[in-house]
Amino acid sequence: MTLEHSYTEAVESVIFDADQIAEAVERLAERIAADYRGQPLLLVAVLKGALYFAADLSRALARRVDGPSEVIVAYLTVSSYGNAHRSSGEVRLLKDTSTAVTGRQVLLVEDVVDNGLTLQYLRGRLLDRGPASLRTCVLLDKPYRRFADVPLEYVGMVAPDDFIVGYGLDYQERFRNLPYLARLCPGVFLERKG
Ligand code: IMP
Ligand code: MG
């Protein structure tokens, strides 16, 4: 694949290209549509990482004739990695969703699960509000350092043990808008330390 944009020099290799992402989203939408057929569904997307994923997944659900009776899209924002490459283990809710969760069938939509703390925390917060059901959908699973055992009902793709950017995933807020998922050049990390 040709990389025709200004970030080219920062990207070492493409892990999943736009077609592979689109296929994963379609596969997820097919399963979710079947599981929630005829029922209303509330998607709660975790910003900012799941911005593109939730946008594409929600529209893929709309294209399914036998899917949910309606889809509501809500968002919440959690604290990011800051400058570290790994989760600090401290999760903070920066902005909660204003959409009511109580009594609804809720699907939490996240970009990637690594140690699992973010999803464990968010699941707890949402379960406190008494949803009718709560499931989790992640685009990427990085199962290598999991220590919070969270149920993942829908997994798009298993990612290699790398730091990944693109399609919503960032490194220090950059690279989210890449249309594919990629591994950064090691030099990019080095350049920005300290
Ligand atoms: P966890 O709490 O370790 O499961 O981390 C989940 C959060 O860390 C996700 O919401 C992402 O924002 C971020 N994250 C984990 N792995 C990556 C990555 O490879 N690239 C960018 N962000 C990541
Ligand atoms: Mg995230």
Side-chain angles (χ1 to χ4, degrees):
M1 156 176 202
T2 334
L3 306 176
E4 290 166 333
H5 53 75
S6 57
Y7 295 162
T8 308
E9 69 280 5
V11 171
E12 185 177 74
S13 57
V14 174
I15 297 171
F16 298 112
D17 67 21
D19 287 343
Q20 290 171 301
I21 296 169
E23 281 162 25
V25 171
E26 284 303 323
R27 284 196 299 272
L28 288 169
E30 188 177 356
R31 286 185 49 211
I32 293 164
D35 291 352
Y36 293 91
R37 181 163 301 157
Q39 303 165 57
L41 176 62
L42 172 64
L43 299 181
V44 177
V46 184
L47 293 185
K48 303 173 198 168
L51 171 69
Y52 298 90
F53 178 40
D56 287 344
L57 181 67
S58 57
R59 287 178 296 179
L61 285 171
R63 288 193 294 270
R64 305 243 152 218
V65 280
D66 285 338
S69 57
E70 64 174 32
V71 175
I72 294 174
V73 185
Y75 298 94
L76 47 77
T77 310
V78 292
S79 60
S80 71
Y81 271 51
N83 290 343
H85 302 173
R86 302 243 177 275
S87 183
S88 58
E90 193 187 305
V91 187
R92 276 197 310 137
L93 193 56
L94 297 182
K95 195 175 188 308
D96 203 345
T97 178
S98 55
T99 308
V101 162
T102 310
R104 287 198 157 134
Q105 313 233 55
V106 178
L107 184 61
L108 188 56
V109 179
E110 173 63 311
D111 52 358
V112 49
V113 55
D114 185 10
N115 64 37
L117 280 175
T118 306
L119 283 178
Q120 186 180 58
Y121 170 81
L122 291 175
R123 281 180 47 83
R125 293 287 301 237
L126 292 172
L127 283 172
D128 283 347
R129 295 170 207 175
S133 68
L134 176 63
R135 289 181 181 168
T136 301
C137 176
V138 294
L139 178 65
L140 297 178
D141 184 8
K142 299 208 301 192
Y144 316 100
R145 270 172 298 277
R146 189 74 37 82
F147 54 83
D149 188 25
V150 281
L152 300 174
E153 286 83 5
Y154 306 99
V155 173
M157 298 176 289
V158 177
D161 190 10
D162 288 309
F163 192 82
I164 299 168
V165 295
Y167 197 68
L169 283 76
D170 73 306
Y171 175 61
Q172 297 184 355
E173 297 299 328
R174 296 170 71 221
F175 311 110
R176 287 193 201 277
N177 64 324
L178 294 178
Y180 46 77
L181 288 153
R183 184 183 293 121
L184 282 189
C185 291
V188 176
F189 290 124
L190 296 176
E191 263 169 44
R192 286 165 207 289
K193 268 190 192 148

